[in-house]
Amino acid sequence: MQTRRVALVHDFLLDVRGAERVFLALCDLFPEADLFTAVYDESGTEGRFADRRPTTSFLQRVRPDARTFRALLPLYPHAMEALDLRDYDLVISSSSAWAHGVIPDPDAVHLCYCHNPFRYAWNAREATLAKYDPLRRAMLGFVFQRWRQWDWIAAQRVDLYAANSEITRKRVKRYFGRDATVLYPPVETARFAPGDVGNDYVVLSELMPHKRIDLAVEAFNELELPLTVVGNGPDARRLRRLAGPNIRFTGRVDDEEAAFLLSSAKALVVTATEEFGIAAVEAQAAGRPVIALREGGLRETVLEGETGAFFDRPEPGALADAVRGFDPLAVDPAACVSNAERFDVSHFRHGLRTLVDRALEAERPPRPRPRRARGLALSQP
């Protein structure tokens, strides 16, 4: 690719989850690029971006972290639009919420790698609002409506969309009216290898309500089988109260420990509707099968009967039945490893280079005139 000034943009850099691992791969692919994000926590991201000195928005002044950043929700669109990208002729945003809303130089090319349109304003809007009392539901509903208006306008300024899975591609089309090319996220399959299998099933996830980890807790309470829950988040305290003595919580672990837990697991259990689900591919790279809800991106990454099993309803009983009916020790670890290799980071690098070249060579229609957010106070598009 021709040498250009490149800016890489991510929603927030406060911890290291699946989206941040994708952003790390982008950083490796563009070692000279400058990094931009709304807010940044060097400790929470384990120092992985320290040598690149990410440029942050005005929200950095209040120093939010992974537990507190959501309180600033209405301000993030304006924070992203306020980032100064005038000196760059290629902008690549990594967006699951607002990063795609940056405003590049009019002559720049903007490629967005979309993990998902902002779930709380789109595909999870009704479920999110249902959890609140009428007053807060009305207030939050107004914020989400304004967000949807801003989101649609922002999406029209992007030159090319890439989606991390087929379900995300369909959402980009449905919500934004934009076509997208599916490019699966990079998985560092070389970090994993089959090992000695133990007795525990494993959940590896952020402990958020939409991840539905309570399904696994309740199912394994019924099964009385050992379950290890890896990860942390705002739902952790509630989940611990639900759990029986057969369920162990480790909190967040480092990469080495996560690889060991996956390689020694009977199976990885996934209860959420994942847009892609990097952990499921990592488990297969470690030679272990996956038991997952038959929704979302895992239908693209797990081979039923060969590298895992599905359950059809997001209910503890359905998961318990799937666990009883599936023998994880009968699965060939080599088949799991082979399937995971389809998603190795090398495929992502090649695919992204191809998309960047396409974006740079394409004839671009005029961008809509930027309409900057002011606390999401936008008129209807």
Side-chain angles (χ1 to χ4, degrees), residues 213-225 227 246-247 269 271 311 315-321 323-324:
I213 308 302
D214 53 345
L215 296 186
V217 170
E218 293 178 22
F220 278 82
N221 282 343
E222 175 187 339
L223 293 164
E224 297 184 342
L225 293 173
L227 175 70
N246 56 307
I247 298 176
V269 176
T271 50
F311 58 102
E315 300 170 358
L319 172 55
D321 288 344
V323 173
R324 292 189 189 101

Side-chain angles (χ1 to χ4, degrees), residues 145-146 148-150 153 371-372 376-381:
Q145 179 59 29
R146 290 299 191 186
R148 286 157 72 114
Q149 294 168 9
W150 174 84
I153 294 169
R371 300 164 67 184
R372 295 180 181 272
L376 295 182
L378 295 174
S379 59
Q380 183 73 29

Side-chain angles (χ1 to χ4, degrees), residues 10 65 102 168 181 197 292 302 306 313 328 368:
H10 192 63
D65 58 26
V102 293
T168 300
T181 299
V197 179
V302 176
E306 185 174 348
R313 303 181 311 281

